[in-house]
Amino acid sequence: MATVKVGMADLNICRAPDMITTLGLGSCIGIAVYDSVTKIGGLAHIMLPDSTQMRNNLNIAKFADTGIEELVRRMVAAGANKRRLVAKIAGGARMFEVKGMSGIGNVGERNAIASRKKLKQLGIPLVAEDTGLNFGRTVELYPETGEFYIKAVGKTVKII
């Protein structure tokens, strides 16, 4: 079994028995997408909700809207069936309390909302999530089973 690593503002796919992981999700969201028949899994580590709000946004993996689309495109190109895809998300923490900027300061919540919206637009069911709160997460997707492991310092491992 190989481990495929996904960096910040990055995405990749793998096939069982390999697993795919990303570290250090704070306000970022890890979007895991999975096809239970072909055992193809994908993971995107998105930083921001909307590419249309930025100029010079050449890194499509950085944004929920473009990153999720590209992840699905790569999975289908590798043999996944779009109608079988399901998604799980984790992250979107409120890492810093910003006084007087409750809505603007909470990038994590905006990332989670944008991720849910994009998955819905693409017709991909969101079957589980572990988002919000105020701690970082590391995630691992095992395409063999579809299990999405969420690890956080000082907390028990959560499997969704």
Side-chain angles (χ1 to χ4, degrees):
M1 175 175 82
T3 298
V4 177
K5 290 188 165 78
V6 173
M8 187 181 277
D10 188 17
L11 57 85
N12 210 333
I13 65 171
C14 73
R15 186 183 302 263
D18 297 346
M19 72 85 123
I20 190 165
T21 184
T22 192
L23 311 173
L25 293 170
S27 60
C28 297
I29 294 271
I31 298 123
V33 181
Y34 161 72
D35 178 334
S36 62
V37 174
T38 60
K39 308 283 188 199
I40 294 172
L43 186 61
H45 182 142
I46 63 110
M47 293 174 64
L48 294 167
D50 185 0
S51 65
T52 63
Q53 302 300 308
M54 304 287 267
R55 280 197 283 283
N56 303 327
N57 53 3
L58 299 175
N59 181 356
I60 58 176
K62 186 186 270 190
F63 305 94
D65 58 345
T66 51
I68 295 170
E69 255 178 34
E70 176 64 11
L71 184 65
V72 169
R73 189 194 68 71
R74 287 193 195 179
M75 290 180 67
V76 169
N81 184 320
K82 188 167 183 266
R83 287 190 303 279
R84 280 194 305 258
L85 296 180
V86 295
K88 298 176 181 182
I89 64 173
R94 182 188 212 107
M95 298 303 285
F96 310 101
E97 200 56 55
V98 183
K99 299 262 184 277
M101 291 181 59
S102 57
I104 299 160
N106 197 350
V107 177
E109 186 180 336
R110 294 199 332 263
N111 281 340
I113 290 166
S115 298
R116 289 184 204 109
K117 179 179 169 188
K118 189 61 185 183
L119 289 165
K120 188 172 186 164
Q121 277 176 0
L122 294 173
I124 297 169
L126 179 61
V127 296
E129 69 175 277
D130 182 44
T131 58
L133 302 173
N134 62 350
F135 55 87
R137 296 162 172 91
T138 290
V139 296
E140 299 171 350
L141 173 66
Y142 292 85
E144 183 65 48
T145 59
E147 290 178 327
F148 197 37
Y149 284 64
I150 295 129
K151 300 176 177 182
V153 175
K155 304 199 179 310
T156 56
V157 175
K158 187 186 245 186
I159 303 171
I160 61 173

